[in-house]
Amino acid sequence: MRILGIETSCDETAAAIVQGDGREVAILANVVHGQLDIHAAYGGVVPELASRAHIRHVGPVVAAALAQARMAASDLDGIAVTVGPGLVGALLVGVATARGMALALERPLLGIHHMEGHLLSPFLEGVTDFAFPFVALLVSGGHTLLVHAQAFARYEVLGQTRDDSVGEAFDKGARLLGLAYPGGPAIAALARDGNSQAFAFPRALLDRTRHDFSYSGLKTALRTFLEREGAGELDSQRRRDIAASFQEALIEPLVVKSLAACRAARADRLVVAGGVGANQRLRERLTREATAAGIRVLFPPVGLCTDNGAMIACAGLWRLASGMKADSFLNARPRWPLAELSQQI
């Protein structure tokens, strides 16, 4: 089967085509048009500007994906699109495009939960010996949650952020340090030559018997620290040490909570996905500590950590191959708890 995936939940206009049987999935085309040039000046995504950019680029991006795969639209077996969660205006662009194509081509239309796409993204690289059940750490600009994936489309949320996502904390921390947007790569670059133990920023570990996260207090701690130190008067090494220490305080709860969730779920496999999954320090610590605990950890390639159409197409392929019902009419769902997904075989 060959599935087109369309992703417009935030600030990437993406389309991809995958081929497979639902277990082995090959990427035939993967096209992403970013909007960094639009949003960087504002230090974050402006929803209305994102929606307008999606309208301009979704058609050319889909056409580019078909050209890259050397296919005609009529060669597709189905169309998958992100329905939610995300920015409502941005989601509507992708949903309207997918609905129009599915109607014109008389192909199945599959509404995909954005986080299910991330959860399944490691399977895109032909990993055939990694199977359900597993625990997934899903970390991005809008989400931080731990999920027990018991089987395909059977997901139990074990924990999630009580306030801000770790990706948002990276962005806001970078802004406080005078770094460019997006904040994750900027902080990681500055932290590379810093001492992560130089400053003792608080770790929001909460109740160690639960798997929830909290990052709002850490942002406040960084702001208070910089106000006291005088952010404009810091020498370059001190700034690197602050970035490294702040990054470590962001990452440590992810590592501790992920391993605790694996123990609680009796899972020996851990998937890490979402934009923050590209962070090298997170990859290093989780790989080392998970391996020591007898847990296999799997990251998608860095290029598939951020939002992309391939993960949406992959989820659509899994759903179609599993005999799940396609939709003839989809609506955007800007708020859509992952726990609401259920099998429809």
Side-chain angles (χ1 to χ4, degrees):
M1 289 187 294
R2 289 169 291 190
I3 306 295
L4 168 68
I6 298 174
E7 155 63 27
T8 62
S9 66
C10 190
D11 61 334
E12 274 95 19
T13 311
I17 298 169
V18 303
Q19 177 175 284
D21 58 4
R23 296 300 177 267
E24 295 188 27
V25 184
I27 301 175
L28 302 183
N30 190 24
V31 179
V32 180
H33 185 280
Q35 301 177 8
L36 183 58
D37 57 330
I38 297 173
H39 304 291
Y42 302 95
V45 177
V46 181
E48 179 63 23
L49 297 181
S51 302
R52 294 180 183 184
H54 287 310
I55 292 170
R56 289 194 300 273
H57 296 293
V58 68
V61 165
V62 169
L66 288 167
Q68 193 178 103
R70 298 182 180 180
M71 290 172 52
S74 58
D75 295 325
L76 296 168
D77 296 301
I79 298 170
V81 61
T82 303
V83 172
L87 303 175
V88 62
L91 289 167
L92 284 169
V93 176
V95 169
T97 302
R99 279 169 50 186
M101 289 187 67
L103 180 63
L105 297 169
E106 298 183 333
R107 296 294 189 270
L109 179 61
L110 303 137
I112 304 301
H113 192 292
H114 181 77
M115 300 314 293
E116 183 180 47
H118 277 305
L119 186 148
L120 295 175
S121 61
F123 294 96
L124 282 165
E125 289 299 296
V127 180
T128 58
D129 62 339
F130 194 90
F132 293 97
F134 57 84
V135 167
L137 172 66
L138 304 177
V139 280
S140 66
H143 304 274
T144 303
L145 66 161
L146 282 161
V147 179
H148 185 201
Q150 300 163 0
F152 174 62
R154 287 180 54 201
Y155 311 127
E156 177 190 4
V157 176
L158 301 176
Q160 56 193 320
T161 182
R162 296 183 182 180
D163 38 63
D164 302 326
S165 71
V166 65
E168 182 184 355
F170 265 113
D171 286 340
K172 296 295 175 58
R175 196 169 187 174
L176 289 169
L177 285 165
L179 302 175
Y181 173 84
I187 284 182
L190 186 61
R192 195 171 295 122
D193 297 317
N195 176 7
S196 63
Q197 306 304 313
F199 303 102
F201 290 115
R203 271 65 165 163
L205 292 171
L206 304 172
D207 183 344
R208 288 177 179 265
T209 64
R210 301 185 64 181
H211 310 301
D212 287 342
F213 302 90
S214 173
Y215 283 107
S216 62
L218 179 55
K219 293 189 306 182
T220 301
L222 177 62
R223 186 183 67 227
T224 302
F225 176 87
L226 291 173
E227 288 173 351
R228 184 174 66 246
E229 294 288 311
E233 302 172 5
L234 299 172
D235 62 49
S236 58
Q237 185 56 51
R238 194 166 179 82
R239 280 169 53 81
R240 287 192 286 268
D241 291 344
I242 293 170
S245 299
F246 181 69
Q247 177 177 253
E248 202 72 11
L250 290 168
I251 287 172
E252 186 168 332
L254 299 178
V255 175
V256 172
K257 297 286 186 176
S258 294
L259 299 184
C262 286
R263 290 192 295 270
R266 298 182 180 179
D268 61 1
R269 293 182 288 268
L270 173 67
V271 162
V272 183
V276 179
N279 182 279
Q280 288 303 311
R281 179 57 180 163
L282 174 61
R283 288 178 173 237
E284 291 167 4
R285 279 203 59 175
L286 255 183
T287 299
R288 182 179 70 248
E289 296 183 35
T291 300
I295 297 168
R296 181 183 175 190
V297 60
L298 183 64
F299 298 88
V302 170
L304 294 176
C305 285
T306 53
D307 293 351
N308 61 86
M311 69 183 194
I312 302 305
C314 178
L317 193 151
W318 274 69
R319 287 187 165 267
L320 204 57
S322 299
M324 292 188 172
K325 180 182 177 183
D327 299 282
S328 58
F329 185 87
L330 295 178
N331 283 318
R333 296 192 62 181
R335 295 186 181 275
W336 186 10
L338 184 65
E340 288 186 10
L341 288 183
S342 62
Q343 287 186 313
Q344 300 174 353
I345 299 176

